[in-house]
Amino acid sequence: MDCKIVNGTIVTATDMYRADVGINKGKIAQIAKKIQEPAGEVIDARGHFVFPGGIDIHTHLDMPFGGTVSSDDFETGTIAAAFGGTTTIVDFAIQGKRMSLKGALKTWMEKAEGKAVIDYGFHVAITDLTKKVLAEIPELVALGVPSFKCFLAYKGALMIDDGALYEVLLKCKQAGALVMIHAENGDVLDVLINDFLSQGKTDPKYHALSRPPEAEGEATGRGIALARMAGAPIYIVHLTCKEALNKVKEARDAGFPVLAETCPQYLLKSYQNYLEPGFEGAKYVMSPPLRDKSNWDVLWKGLATGDLQVVSTDHCPFNFKGQKDMGKDSFAAIPNGAPGIEHRLILLFNEAVKKKRLGLNRFVELVSTAPAKLFGLFPQKGAVAVGSDADLVLFDPRAPVEIRAKTHHQNVDYTLYEGFKGKGVPKIVLSNGTVIIRDGKFMGQPGAGRFLKRKPFRLTV
Ligand code: URP
Ligand code: ZN
Ligand code: ZN
């Protein structure tokens, strides 16, 4: 046996028990009360939870956006992820205009190869639909890409129209793929944005005011309606508000396969952040924007009841100096996105588990097991089970933690959570049986992360 983890408390989406974990050739080989067999390395996990590695299915590494590129590449971004207990990401390959989907995938494969320190997969975002592109969808599924994002916002750039979304839904249903939507009404936002700009209202807060929650609710409802017409499942990314969650809940209550995620920033930050002095509000410019605080309870309830199934980060970092300040004179020129890949587990553990909003098993389900199941990775990932990849997090629930841009590992000059204090640290992180984080030190290898060929979408796994 290559390695054994002894004396830890294993926590999965369903169980919590004391047991040892034996690892061989990168896989979990044995789970037993006491493993007697000698091992090359013995890791004492006394006082630690042993979680399946976190899975973040919404990241944007090395992504061109608004005339710049997100500041974490696949090396810095996956190292930061690993420090935070995330051992798998699924990033978005974005189809450029007149580009094929396979071309987009190839471009993103090249970005990741030789750099990623943890395993990774890709969704492809469809931004320019033609008959040829539509025909590529089954080929992409066969290549291990069974999920496609459609933007209902970013008019003139990434947005597609309802007809295109409907065609993608029909094709994906046939091909065993899941359609993910960015749900904001891009046409209406365009009018609002131009309206504010023409009045000289250029501060970061107008980013939020030009993207009201009603526009998210409308697009969420429309996406769901189109999915229902197509008889297809649909997944709403980065859901922020009650207007959108009500649409999801209504469809789920009626028995339709509607799935949705939210992100830590929508649970912990609010519209008030756009009012910070000077240009500070630009740090929070993301789409959809941060909402009124009244949405926090609504989202926590959605996570508790199951109407929201996943917490991902939408990690899309841009430096405050040199990138966000491209929009000093116009909120519309601020690149959209914010960092978060490193802090998802820490924030959720403190805000959900420690504050008793959610139980520990539900926490594991939201950050690891549910994303693995919905995105074709279970039980290879998202499980502590014999035969699963040995992607494990030894989490010390008593260790103090403080989030600071100065000490984080994300390649960006700020964090949304500056000064956040809590308890709970991923002390040791293993990827495919290899320790990649130990006591605050990175021990992994750029390029060690493998491309994951994901299985076709199934609602029940
Ligand atoms: O502001 C955001 N969310 N930027 C990343 C792109 C997207 O819409 O997910
Ligand atoms: Zn989006
Ligand atoms: Zn995103």
Side-chain angles (χ1 to χ4, degrees), residues 142-358:
L143 291 171
V145 178
S147 43
F148 297 86
K149 182 173 178 182
C150 295
F151 292 91
L152 308 190
Y154 305 125
K155 190 172 177 175
L158 303 170
M159 178 169 144
I160 62 167
D161 64 24
D162 290 351
L165 172 59
Y166 184 63
E167 286 201 273
V168 171
L169 282 159
L170 285 172
K171 194 69 178 183
C172 282
K173 183 194 168 191
Q174 278 175 8
L178 180 62
V179 178
M180 311 162 80
I181 59 165
H182 174 128
E184 292 183 288
N185 185 318
D187 286 318
V188 171
L189 303 190
D190 209 43
V191 174
L192 289 167
I193 291 165
N194 288 326
D195 220 32
F196 282 124
L197 292 179
S198 68
Q199 295 171 57
K201 295 178 172 170
T202 58
D203 296 355
K205 75 172 179 196
Y206 293 105
H207 169 77
L209 295 174
S210 65
R211 308 180 89 97
E214 290 80 2
E216 186 181 337
E218 186 280 331
T220 304
R222 179 161 37 99
I224 291 171
L226 294 175
R228 285 170 68 160
M229 283 185 242
I234 194 162
Y235 182 97
I236 319 298
V237 296
H238 47 43
L239 186 148
T240 72
C241 60
K242 78 167 180 313
E243 287 79 357
L245 187 57
N246 284 345
K247 300 287 182 189
V248 169
K249 202 171 141 32
E250 184 185 282
R252 289 177 63 81
D253 288 349
F256 291 96
V258 174
L259 306 153
E261 67 177 21
T262 191
C263 313
Q265 57 270 31
Y266 299 119
L267 294 159
L268 304 174
K269 297 286 160 186
S270 78
Y271 173 76
Q272 294 302 313
N273 292 103
Y274 293 112
L275 309 180
E276 288 179 12
F279 189 60
E280 291 287 304
K283 293 178 174 173
Y284 306 90
V285 166
M286 63 187 79
S287 295
L290 299 172
R291 302 299 187 190
D292 183 81
K293 287 178 183 174
S294 59
N295 289 288
W296 292 349
D297 279 349
V298 174
L299 297 178
W300 283 117
K301 194 166 168 215
L303 292 170
T305 59
D307 284 323
L308 295 169
Q309 296 81 41
V310 173
V311 176
S312 57
T313 62
D314 192 11
H315 177 77
C316 188
F318 298 102
N319 283 301
F320 186 59
K321 288 205 179 67
Q323 292 190 293
K324 289 286 187 184
D325 55 13
M326 290 162 69
K328 265 250 180 278
D329 301 321
S330 163
F331 68 87
I334 302 171
N336 286 199
I341 203 167
E342 188 167 347
H343 300 123
R344 184 177 60 127
L345 270 64
I346 287 169
L347 292 167
L348 255 277
F349 181 76
N350 279 277
E351 293 296 318
V353 181
K354 288 194 79 79
K355 294 194 174 166
K356 301 199 186 316
R357 290 174 166 129
L358 303 172

Side-chain angles (χ1 to χ4, degrees), residues 27-38:
K27 303 257 182 216
I28 297 176
Q30 195 182 353
I31 299 174
K33 198 125 202 77
K34 272 274 154 264
I35 296 180
Q36 304 296 349
E37 197 182 318

